[in-house]
Amino acid sequence: MRSRRRQLTLFISDKSEIEKVRIQFNPEQYKLIDAHVTLCREDEIENWDAILNNIKSIHLNQAIAISFTSPITFDNGKGVLLPTDDSFEYNNLRKLVLGVDAPRNHQAHITLMHPRNSMCTPEIFKQIQQYQFPEQLFFDSIHLIEQENEGKWQVLAKFELLN
């Protein structure tokens, strides 16, 4: 049985420290998808025609800025992510894309170690905490991506956000 997942993603252009961690501690996830912030999950974009119209109507004057804090563990310490402390611009972009005033809460983050294919330990987490991650990243496009049968994610479309 073939499985297919689609989502909207904000790919990271300043990947240096982020990708160093992913390559070293989560090479399987690194091979599947570039460093990113998930904007909308597959169940949120089922009405694709409406979502596409919403995306095409977005014209921003500047890139979306997202600020990140220090790495934290999740999923009983198995995974590691960079969370946001204030994701106003991210949440506003989700509202525009989804065409709703109050989309479900989804905190912007960058997954450094995905618990599906890596295992963080206290020692690894201490090493990750030594990296100097960017405090703020900027995004000027949205990507529609697709994964089939848990394989490598493919970019299906790119949508520019700036005027």
Side-chain angles (χ1 to χ4, degrees):
M1 179 177 181
R2 296 184 65 91
S3 67
R4 182 171 63 175
R5 298 172 54 203
R6 287 186 175 179
Q7 63 185 33
L8 293 174
T9 297
L10 305 172
F11 280 113
I12 296 167
S13 57
D14 177 11
K15 304 179 203 184
S16 56
E17 295 301 298
I18 293 165
E19 291 296 38
K20 285 179 188 176
V21 168
R22 294 179 72 234
I23 290 168
Q24 182 175 358
F25 300 112
N26 197 182
E28 283 301 311
Q29 192 72 10
Y30 173 81
K31 291 176 194 172
L32 293 175
I33 189 168
D34 289 343
H36 66 281
V37 174
T38 300
L39 182 63
C40 299
R41 300 206 178 277
E42 55 268 18
D43 64 311
E44 295 178 302
I45 61 171
E46 289 175 350
N47 186 356
W48 179 245
D49 290 338
I51 299 295
L52 182 58
N53 285 333
N54 294 343
I55 292 171
K56 287 181 176 181
S57 71
I58 299 171
H59 302 287
L60 305 177
N61 293 324
Q62 61 188 26
I64 297 292
I66 302 177
S67 298
F68 295 89
T69 61
S70 300
I72 61 170
T73 61
F74 70 103
D75 197 8
N76 296 318
K78 293 187 284 188
V80 179
L81 58 82
L82 288 177
T84 58
D85 55 355
D86 174 23
S87 50
F88 173 79
E89 289 188 48
Y90 170 82
N91 288 322
N92 191 50
L93 182 59
R94 281 179 47 80
K95 289 177 186 179
L96 294 172
V97 168
L98 296 172
V100 296
D101 290 333
R104 78 173 179 230
N105 188 25
H106 179 73
Q107 183 185 24
H109 66 273
I110 301 166
T111 303
L112 299 174
M113 292 184 69
H114 199 295
R116 184 180 310 123
N117 49 33
S118 68
M119 176 63 76
C120 188
T121 65
E123 295 76 23
I124 290 173
F125 188 63
K126 284 179 188 172
Q127 289 179 50
I128 291 172
Q129 289 177 307
Q130 301 307 309
Y131 283 83
Q132 296 297 312
F133 297 106
E135 293 179 11
Q136 189 174 53
L137 295 171
F138 298 90
F139 303 91
D140 60 9
S141 61
I142 298 171
H143 292 80
L144 172 64
I145 61 173
E146 178 178 83
Q147 181 188 45
E148 286 196 45
N149 299 322
E150 299 183 19
K152 184 173 175 58
W153 286 87
Q154 304 296 322
V155 175
L156 301 179
K158 179 179 179 180
F159 307 97
E160 298 295 337
L161 296 172
L162 300 179
N163 288 332

